[in-house]
Amino acid sequence: MRGPDDEAPVLCSYRRGDWQPSLDTAPLPGATRARLALVPHIVAHSDRRWWDGIRADLPPLSGRRELVLSALELFRHGTVTIGGIGPQSADAFRAALWESAGLPGPLVERWGAMLYEGAARRETVAPDDALALVALPGNTFTCLDSVLEQAERSACVWVRPSRREPLSAARLLAALLAVGWPPARLGLYPTEQHTLHGLLKLTDRHVVYGGSGLAASVRDSPALALHGPGRGCALVPPGTGAGAAGAAGAADPLDPVDPLDRVDSVDSVDDMVAWLLPLIAADSGRFCSNVRTVVCVDHDPEPLAKALAAALDALHPGPAPDPADPRWPLTAFRDPAEADRAAASVRDRLRPGDHLLTREPTVVTGTGVGTRTGGDVYVRPQLALLRTDPAAPSHPLIGHEVPFPFAAVLGATADAARALADEALFVYRPPATPGGAP
């Protein structure tokens, strides 16, 4: 007897130069009933032996940068053919990401443009003979930039997509194939979580994205570039009480950041809110570079925290899949239980004396045009004011990363602020002039 999943599309893996089905599958999020073909470790082990046997006979691949940029044009605007899915237009891709991953249209467009701009600017390197592995996260497909970097640098790249969002990785591989990238030099290896460690042993160079748990489990692997939590931190220097509107940049983590630097041209809470809001809320708070901690150095954090909370409360999801304000859209959660867990991870870390200053309901259901049956579930932005020792702030919400906009605001002495900045990969200070570069 045929079951209900027999007619559901199965997104194939890509192995040995072809799209491959599998007896092992996992459901994709959302209501499409689509499934994902999984690659067992024993199969990947056999594929490594196959690669070792054919790589010496492959002709050199020239013009990699031109192929990458052509593929990204197809990825963003064209129609490609994906194993198990068939032809997929740009509009169909956008619709699929909304249905399965809750990504609104403006984010898909923005992230696609970021991929192209990053690839066009990247310094070219001479390729080597390595088999590279890139293990992707599910929070954003901008990390496909690492796939493109390794494709240009390596003899072959295997991509392990997130099971929560494998569609973008499959589309990128299909685009590379469509512009003439040699099939044997690419692989798409969706796996169970425990199989990742086996893939690390099978490949020569590794780029791994993941949260703190995954980072701890793989950090000792050789030839590993690990992208873990960013713990984004914004410093509000003394003498400002606020900051300047406009874009601010992340400091190099190796470059000393002095929170005592005064910014005399900025003097209003409104200016500081205008500066901080996109750092917290852009990209639906899903980037490791988003600000999670706002440190007010040697001044009362409460006025800024209250104003910033009101600004975050004003961000509402619009009619799905496109929000009313495309600058800072919110993503929808396809698993309501995941939304509840993400929101609770903030609430459960609050301590006596802390205040959650955002007043809007945390988990909400959208009812706009284009929403799924039952509505789309969102986690609205949150902001917490922490009561800690300014000389030695320690709190589980400092640097806490969740898949929605969230920030903790606290006061700290200059020495304590320096210590917090040292723990962050991304540190932001107000620009030197209103609306200017930092």
Side-chain angles (χ1 to χ4, degrees):
M1 178 179 296
R2 296 174 65 84
D5 291 328
D6 289 340
E7 301 299 328
V10 178
L11 174 59
C12 292
S13 63
Y14 192 83
R15 309 171 27 251
R16 302 194 181 200
D18 202 1
W19 296 101
Q20 303 280 1
S22 175
L23 294 176
D24 295 328
T25 64
L28 293 182
T32 64
R33 296 193 302 113
R35 301 186 69 83
L36 175 66
L38 301 179
V39 179
H41 175 70
I42 191 172
V43 173
H45 191 275
S46 175
D47 290 348
R48 172 67 207 229
R49 293 198 302 270
W50 172 83
W51 166 250
D52 289 338
I54 63 108
R55 64 178 171 179
D57 298 326
L58 292 175
L61 177 58
S62 60
R64 297 191 186 206
R65 174 59 53 83
E66 291 75 14
L67 290 175
V68 161
L69 295 180
S70 296
L72 283 173
E73 282 295 324
L74 267 181
F75 177 87
R76 297 170 62 197
H77 307 300
T79 296
V80 299
T81 300
I82 301 172
I85 294 179
Q88 183 192 68
S89 67
D91 286 343
F93 173 57
R94 174 172 160 149
L97 283 184
W98 169 250
E99 182 59 36
S100 67
L103 296 180
L107 276 191
V108 177
E109 294 178 2
R110 168 176 160 80
W111 292 354
M114 291 174 67
L115 277 177
Y116 188 92
E117 292 164 4
R121 292 195 307 263
R122 185 167 42 245
E123 183 178 350
T124 57
V125 296
D128 57 25
D129 202 35
L131 170 59
L133 170 72
V134 180
L136 295 167
N139 57 314
T140 170
F141 66 74
T142 55
C143 297
L144 289 171
D145 184 67
S146 291
V147 174
L148 298 170
E149 180 184 19
Q150 291 302 316
E152 291 190 21
R153 177 185 178 188
S154 311
C156 177
V157 58
W158 287 3
V159 182
R160 180 187 180 271
S162 166
R163 287 173 52 180
R164 288 184 291 139
E165 197 287 277
L167 299 174
S168 57
R171 181 172 173 84
L172 180 62
L173 258 69
L176 286 167
L177 292 168
V179 299
W181 205 276
R185 294 184 180 272
L186 296 172
L188 184 70
Y189 283 77
T191 69
E192 299 282 2
Q193 180 64 48
H194 61 83
T195 307
L196 171 59
H197 297 273
L199 291 178
L200 292 173
K201 295 178 181 178
L202 291 174
T203 49
D204 306 319
R205 182 165 52 238
H206 332 291
V207 180
V208 177
Y209 291 85
S212 55
L214 175 61
S217 70
V218 302
R219 70 172 71 251
D220 294 329
S221 300
L224 172 68
L226 179 63
H227 299 270
R231 299 177 63 87
C233 175
L235 302 175
V236 183
T240 63
D252 186 324
L254 300 179
D255 183 30
V257 175
D258 189 355
L260 286 175
D261 286 350
R262 301 175 68 93
V263 187
D264 296 327
S265 62
V266 291
D267 56 4
S268 79
V269 169
D270 288 344
D271 284 339
M272 180 54 94
V273 169
W275 171 62
L276 286 170
L277 189 62
L279 294 176
I280 297 169
D283 301 297
S284 198
R286 289 188 163 219
F287 281 11
C288 62
S289 56
N290 281 110
V291 164
R292 306 295 181 179
T293 309
V294 178
V295 184
C296 295
V297 186
D298 286 335
H299 60 91
D300 182 8
E302 187 168 343
L304 173 61
K306 287 182 175 180
L308 189 54
L312 289 171
D313 274 338
L315 301 181
H316 287 270
D322 295 319
D325 186 343
R327 292 175 299 169
W328 305 305
L330 299 178
T331 55
F333 285 71
R334 290 301 174 233
D335 180 358
E338 182 185 355
D340 291 332
R341 287 192 299 270
S345 75
V346 171
R347 185 175 60 251
D348 293 346
R349 286 171 170 79
L350 293 172
R351 292 175 172 177
D354 299 336
H355 297 283
L356 194 62
L357 296 183
T358 39
R359 300 303 184 189
E360 292 289 328
T362 304
V363 180
V364 297
T365 301
T367 57
V369 176
T371 53
R372 303 180 312 151
T373 302
D376 296 307
V377 177
Y378 299 87
V379 179
R380 293 186 36 74
Q382 295 188 62
L383 183 138
L385 176 61
L386 308 185
R387 296 301 184 187
T388 62
D389 179 0
S394 175
H395 198 287
L397 284 176
I398 293 176
H400 182 56
E401 295 195 358
V402 285
F404 62 88
F406 165 74
V409 182
L410 67 148
T413 65
D415 287 342
R418 290 189 184 98
L420 291 173
D422 287 343
E423 296 174 355
L425 290 180
F426 299 92
V427 180
Y428 300 85
R429 289 178 293 175
T433 58

